Amino acid sequence: MLPENTGARQRLALARLTTGLAILNTLRHLPPGDALVDEWSRKEDGEDPRSGRLSAEQYEALRRLAFVSTAAWTLGAESKALKFAANASFAAVQRHVAQFDQRAWNYNSNLNVYLLLLSLTDSRCSLAEAAGEGVEDDGPSSEVATAVLFAMRLYYG
């Protein structure tokens, strides 16, 4: 049985906002594509380059897609296609950057897990409802919100 979690829908909305902002901040601070290509060319001097590497332009396009789709999701868009784009593009960008050092593959994998969990349901909560004005939106039930929050806590722990 899940623990009682009063205000679960509002907490879920707050988790959505903080996760989205953390992802956007991460994307903003990642190295530019040209720097990654330069670094790989130095590392691979005399070696066979790995297949599947993105060009600087592909990486930047993927990074922009991740930024725009995550920003739209953070601001309340609930399209399945948008959620898929945010999850897939952010995971692909992280995979590409983490190839520099295999020890860093999980440097912030919690953001991928949280984004996925929050994408499984409508994690929005209207400001009116959060302020206690009694306006209901079509968000998840309190039980679903509690389950998602519980899964996020388990992963964090």
Side-chain angles (χ1 to χ4, degrees), residues 9-136:
R9 292 183 68 207
Q10 290 82 6
R11 288 186 197 196
L12 200 62
L14 184 59
R16 176 187 183 129
L17 179 64
T18 56
T19 299
L21 291 175
I23 290 170
L24 294 173
N25 192 43
T26 298
L27 289 167
R28 188 172 74 89
H29 290 293
L30 288 176
D34 292 337
L36 294 177
V37 170
D38 290 344
E39 183 64 24
W40 275 321
S41 64
R42 280 193 291 274
K43 280 186 169 186
E44 295 173 346
D45 212 14
E47 297 178 16
D48 290 335
R50 287 186 183 175
S51 62
R53 290 242 169 92
L54 300 173
S55 70
E57 294 81 18
Q58 290 170 325
Y59 166 76
E60 287 299 333
L62 193 59
R63 190 172 158 200
R64 285 185 186 100
L65 174 62
F67 194 90
V68 170
S69 59
T70 302
W73 173 81
T74 302
L75 294 173
E78 277 296 319
S79 159
K80 288 180 183 178
L82 182 78
K83 289 178 181 183
F84 177 79
N87 278 280
S89 60
F90 183 59
V93 167
Q94 283 195 259
R95 178 188 174 278
H96 187 69
V97 172
Q99 286 179 340
F100 279 109
D101 186 354
Q102 292 302 311
R103 296 172 297 169
W105 67 269
N106 68 347
Y107 65 102
N108 61 356
S109 60
N110 62 308
L111 295 177
N112 292 95
V113 172
Y114 294 167
L115 178 61
L116 178 63
L117 287 170
L118 291 166
S119 295
L120 295 176
T121 186
D122 183 347
S123 54
R124 297 174 297 179
C125 178
S126 72
L127 293 176
E129 183 184 354
E133 295 178 19
V135 178
E136 284 291 322

